[in-house]
Amino acid sequence: MENTNYDAIILGGGPAGLTSGIYLARAKANVLIIDNSMIGGQTILTHEIANYPGIENTSGFMLANTMKKQAENFGCTIKSNAKVERLILDSDQKSIILSNGESYTAKAIILATGGRSRMVGAKGEQQFKGMGISYCATCDGDFFTNKEIIVIGGGNSALEEAVSLTNYASKVTVVHQFDHFQAFQHAIDEAKSNSKIDFIMESKITEFKGEGGLQEAEIEHIPTGKKEIKPINGAFIFIGYEAQTEILHDTPVKLNDRKEILVDSNMQTNIEGVYAAGDSLAKRFRQITTAVADGTIAALSALEYIHKK
């Protein structure tokens, strides 16, 4: 019969959750990792990763797959595409109930539920998701070979993915709401030096339009209010992430006004034996390296707690 009682259960299989699993399982803890979709989190959506220490120019998918194999090799049990229906966290024995009726218990819980792509909120965005609008260059870039697209955003992800999309698209136009970028200088320089990339600054998308698929974007110049219609074949949106913490809204776990998890320096939440790590936290920087660091601290803190029980 399947084991239903664990030393630790980790909710989320991105870099933070997988790192926690690696550390816990290597310390001989009995660990279950549960994710509501594919293992790897937002990492698998990244076309190229060049700044992860010790690994040069790999894809997000490959890095996530390596982490997954490492966690499994140390003994983690991993469940993907599993929907959590209910959490019982305010007792010595924590419980996780899945939508299929399966239930699991653990001494410690690590919340590594991650984030998801933030939507622009323009008219027609929901209608054209998957029909011209994408949030993943790696997933959908080749669908726009020799076509004109826009990229919305001005951070590292937007500019780096704009460059990667020039491998497919005939023209990439970056639309950004400010007069300057929030990216690192090397990302700005690389994007500006690419002849296939144009820029529309101090502007926002107010509507996506089309018949049967995305064909146009209405762009408003913010200082003047002047609008223009730009014919396009696709739009890629990279304006950051929001925490995936809906599962915690009916629990005692404290969140801030942005619904991000509040933790102390040991990654412990306000509940004893419940820790958190990764992009679902209230913090300034969200990188794979910071998620891995969070996961390490959460795991080591959870180990101390488990050994006391």
Side-chain angles (χ1 to χ4, degrees):
M1 292 182 64
E2 181 186 10
N3 180 33
T4 60
N5 186 33
Y6 291 84
D7 292 318
I9 295 176
I10 301 164
L11 296 185
L18 291 171
T19 299
S20 290
I22 289 167
Y23 269 81
L24 284 161
R26 191 167 184 267
K28 306 305 180 184
N30 195 9
V31 183
L32 171 65
I33 299 175
I34 299 174
D35 198 288
N36 63 358
S37 58
M38 287 181 63
I39 298 298
Q42 294 291 328
T43 304
I44 62 175
L45 306 182
T46 305
H47 175 71
E48 182 180 26
I49 295 171
N51 58 357
Y52 191 88
I55 297 177
E56 295 185 359
N57 300 322
T58 188
S59 69
F61 177 83
M62 290 299 295
L63 180 60
N65 194 48
T66 299
M67 290 181 178
K68 177 177 179 285
K69 287 181 178 178
Q70 198 172 359
E72 289 176 325
N73 288 341
F74 280 125
C76 289
T77 299
I78 297 179
K79 283 184 173 290
S80 58
N81 298 303
K83 182 181 178 183
V84 175
E85 190 72 28
R86 188 180 173 210
L87 298 176
I88 302 172
L89 303 176
D90 50 354
S91 63
D92 284 345
Q93 193 77 339
K94 325 298 182 188
S95 297
I96 311 287
I97 297 97
L98 303 186
S99 59
N100 63 3
E102 294 176 1
S103 63
Y104 302 91
T105 58
K107 297 173 184 175
I109 298 289
I110 296 178
L111 305 169
T113 51
R116 61 170 162 264
S117 299
R118 185 175 288 119
M119 295 177 66
V120 170
K123 185 178 179 181
E125 182 175 4
Q126 194 68 43
Q127 176 186 348
F128 292 109
K129 282 176 68 175
M131 298 177 63
I133 293 178
S134 174
Y135 304 83
C136 175
T138 305
C139 312
D140 300 325
D142 62 345
F143 293 128
F144 298 92
T145 299
N146 298 323
K147 296 181 179 180
E148 291 199 19
I149 62 173
I150 59 172
V151 167
I152 302 163
N156 288 308
S157 293
L159 297 187
E160 289 170 0
E161 299 296 10
V163 171
S164 75
L165 284 164
T166 60
N167 293 321
Y168 308 103
S170 59
K171 196 71 182 176
V172 177
T173 301
V174 175
V175 180
H176 186 40
Q177 62 180 325
F178 300 118
D179 63 356
H180 62 281
F181 296 110
Q182 289 77 43
F184 294 132
Q185 192 60 46
H186 70 82
I188 298 172
D189 293 342
E190 187 176 10
K192 285 186 173 181
S193 65
N194 193 306
S195 62
K196 295 175 76 173
I197 300 179
D198 286 338
F199 303 91
I200 299 177
M201 306 298 286
E202 295 185 277
S203 299
K204 64 180 181 180
I205 306 298
T206 52
E207 186 175 358
F208 295 103
K209 303 178 181 181
E211 295 291 334
L214 182 62
Q215 295 172 322
E216 297 176 338
E218 182 181 80
I219 303 173
E220 178 183 329
H221 185 239
I222 296 170
T224 64
K226 183 180 178 180
K227 294 182 179 180
E228 66 169 299
I229 301 295
K230 182 172 182 60
I232 56 169
N233 301 114
F236 286 79
I237 300 173
F238 304 107
I239 57 171
Y241 301 104
E242 55 190 7
Q244 294 191 111
T245 56
E246 291 84 359
I247 192 175
L248 303 175
H249 293 179
D250 294 327
T251 73
V253 175
K254 284 188 177 179
L255 309 175
N256 65 9
D257 57 359
R258 292 166 55 88
K259 306 301 181 184
E260 299 163 333
I261 305 170
L262 298 171
V263 295
D264 64 16
S265 59
N266 296 315
M267 299 297 149
Q268 182 173 309
T269 69
N270 59 300
I271 302 173
E272 189 179 27
V274 179
Y275 304 86
D279 286 358
S280 57
L281 298 187
K283 62 178 185 175
R284 182 179 177 188
F285 297 113
R286 288 174 172 81
Q287 297 287 305
I288 298 173
T289 47
T290 62
V292 166
D294 294 344
T296 302
I297 297 168
L300 295 176
S301 299
L303 272 173
E304 288 184 350
Y305 177 80
I306 291 167
H307 290 157
K308 290 177 184 176
K309 291 296 174 179

